[in-house]
Amino acid sequence: MFDIRFISDEPEIDDEGRVTLLGEVTLGDESERFLASLSIWTRENYEQQWRDAAQRLLDGHDRTAFFTSAFGMWWQMWHDGGDVRVQEQLLLSERFALLPQPLDLERTPYELIEEYQRTTEDGEAISEWRLTFRDIERFVRGW
């Protein structure tokens, strides 16, 4: 199963004073909550990006990503046969500096997704989840 959504309608102030909204991502049997910053994007921006990201896989792209904090944290996905491999990643601002400006939000985030890797440069395993392609199809139909 795959799902990503907001579970609260009321914004919260986090420990750093940022306005956020509580969300939850479900990957198989596991769920993780997140606080999405509302300083750059609105709730609607996030939800549109999630729909677009899922649709990319259905349209035949081999990779996509779902922001949980605009341009800060995301869940990357790679289509691998009938499977979809998922890894969470912190995005450092230096990566955006290398891209052409102004940023094209339709294309730019996906240009940052690197080739799939199971291990870090130091040979350590990267935490990952495995979904099925049908999980992504069901997520899109559920919108």
Side-chain angles (χ1 to χ4, degrees):
M1 176 186 182
F2 172 69
D3 191 26
I4 186 168
R5 62 190 169 92
F6 288 109
I7 58 175
S8 174
D9 292 326
E10 295 300 318
E12 301 177 21
I13 306 297
D14 72 6
D15 295 338
E16 298 173 16
R18 295 177 298 196
V19 178
T20 61
L21 197 57
L22 183 62
E24 184 175 69
V25 62
T26 301
L27 304 165
D29 295 334
E30 296 182 40
S31 292
E32 181 174 309
R33 290 185 172 187
F34 60 89
L35 288 174
S37 172
L38 298 178
S39 62
I40 298 174
W41 276 4
T42 65
R43 175 189 188 122
E44 292 76 21
N45 293 135
Y46 282 102
E47 291 172 340
Q48 183 62 52
Q49 193 275 324
W50 298 338
R51 287 189 293 272
D52 293 346
Q55 190 63 50
R56 283 179 55 81
L57 286 182
L58 300 186
D59 289 345
H61 292 272
D62 66 341
R63 63 190 80 173
T64 195
F66 297 75
F67 280 106
T68 54
S69 187
F71 304 101
M73 291 292 294
W74 67 1
W75 290 90
Q76 299 178 103
M77 294 186 181
W78 295 267
H79 188 196
D80 182 24
D83 290 337
V84 176
R85 297 177 182 273
V86 184
Q87 297 173 355
E88 187 177 29
Q89 183 183 47
L90 169 67
L91 289 169
L92 302 175
S93 59
E94 295 85 41
R95 291 186 61 192
F96 289 99
L98 302 174
L99 296 172
Q101 301 293 324
L103 296 178
D104 175 357
L105 296 182
E106 297 289 319
R107 202 181 77 242
T108 297
Y110 309 109
E111 292 174 351
L112 293 173
I113 305 170
E114 298 173 347
E115 292 293 322
Y116 170 74
Q117 296 178 10
R118 287 189 172 130
T119 59
T120 66
E121 292 174 358
D122 298 329
E124 304 217 10
I126 297 173
S127 294
E128 113 175 359
W129 292 258
R130 193 176 284 183
L131 303 172
T132 67
F133 192 71
R134 291 186 53 83
D135 290 329
I136 305 303
E137 291 174 323
R138 284 190 285 271
F139 171 74
V140 170
R141 282 197 309 267
W143 276 100

